[in-house]
Amino acid sequence: MTSCIKLEVHTDDRTPHKWIVALGEDVFRRFLSQGNPAVHKAFGDGSLFSPLLFGKFFDPSDAFPLWEFESDVLLSHLQSTGQSSVDWLQTDQAYVLKAELPGVGKNQVQVSVENGKIVEISGQWKEQRDPRAKDWRSGHWWEHGYVRRLELPEDADWRKTEAYLSNDVFLEIRIPKNPSTCDISHGNGAATNNSEAMPTMLFQNVVQNHKS
């Protein structure tokens, strides 16, 4: 039997110092090599929260312009082997993200919108034992949880963001487009799907700017 619940989308999370500790590639590979099954579920190949989801390392706590790319291009290395459980698209009316969550115990995923510019999906794969400890998101967050932060397109109507969770595992996020800009954004498709080389160059620029 399928169960589907509508998640609250938070817009007032003012937790200080969230995601200030960046996850580097060397640190991540050492962390993953420990062989913890829960870690591999959260950050393994094809996971929305994997820093290697797009083929090259990208810290998932850093905002990524997801909807500037086609999922078939960025995830081609995973889709060809059936490893990807993530997809995204845009229609004339909305931006959509679909993903299977790690499934480490009962998912307590949180979806929030930050300053109307970033949509953030996060959750914990391991609980903090010390109740006096600082918020897990303000330290070495990967030791307790996972996150993916995505830049919202300029025409996204972030106030109407909706998130749904099916069977405690399958997440779908829908962000409507502002009606006043929908017609303009698809008025001329000359720049769309021009070539596979253009998305690749754009992705490399994003990664380079992230590192600098």
Side-chain angles (χ1 to χ4, degrees), residues 9-23:
V9 178
H10 301 267
T11 58
D12 57 354
D13 185 353
R14 303 186 185 280
T15 304
H17 311 305
K18 282 197 312 177
W19 322 121
I20 61 170
V21 181
L23 175 59

Side-chain angles (χ1 to χ4, degrees), residues 55 113 158 167 204:
V113 176
W158 61 271
N167 294 339
Q204 290 174 342

